[in-house]
Amino acid sequence: MSKAESEKVVSVSSRGQATIPKEFREELDIDTPGRVKFVRTEEGEIVVRPIHSVTDLRGVLEGKTDEQGRSAVERLRAEREQDKASEEELRQRYASDDEADT
């Protein structure tokens, strides 16, 4: 371990929770409450990275699927199509109501 590296031993609860030591939270500017992500490096190490903005979450759903086997992008596209269909149905319904009123 180099001089730049430091380590702390922490307990993990039965729920899988561990406390990030204060010196690391301060160094990484991790807010409490806040969020972090765990990243496995090519060397196989697990690294904790703070999340400061939405863009820090980019890629966390890569390779993940829902109960129907759809990726996040596929699910979002399907939801957008449903929204478009619902909007069109409302337009048609209210357009025919307007025509009946005249």
Side-chain angles (χ1 to χ4, degrees):
M1 183 176 295
S2 74
K3 289 183 181 179
E5 293 180 352
S6 63
E7 62 182 43
K8 296 283 183 182
V9 176
V10 298
S11 298
V12 178
S13 74
S14 61
R15 294 179 53 194
Q17 298 171 326
T19 301
I20 301 170
K22 183 178 179 182
E23 69 180 76
F24 294 147
R25 290 193 317 266
E26 288 174 350
E27 183 179 330
L28 295 172
D29 195 28
I30 297 172
D31 295 325
T32 55
R35 293 194 175 266
V36 297
K37 63 181 174 180
F38 291 81
V39 179
R40 185 182 309 273
T41 67
E42 290 182 11
E43 295 80 25
E45 295 182 326
I46 304 296
V47 177
V48 178
R49 296 202 174 129
I51 296 176
H52 296 295
S53 72
V54 175
T55 57
D56 292 336
L57 294 171
R58 185 176 293 134
V60 296
L61 295 178
E62 185 176 351
K64 306 278 193 244
T65 58
D66 66 6
E67 61 280 349
Q68 297 171 346
R70 298 178 300 178
S71 71
V73 171
E74 291 169 328
R75 186 171 177 179
L76 180 59
R77 285 183 181 144
E79 288 177 7
R80 285 180 177 169
E81 288 300 318
Q82 288 174 341
D83 288 347
K84 285 180 186 178
S86 295
E87 287 176 19
E88 184 57 34
E89 180 183 325
L90 287 171
R91 279 191 192 103
Q92 289 178 358
R93 181 184 312 157
Y94 288 108
S96 63
D97 287 348
D98 289 342
E99 290 172 4
D101 290 341
T102 55

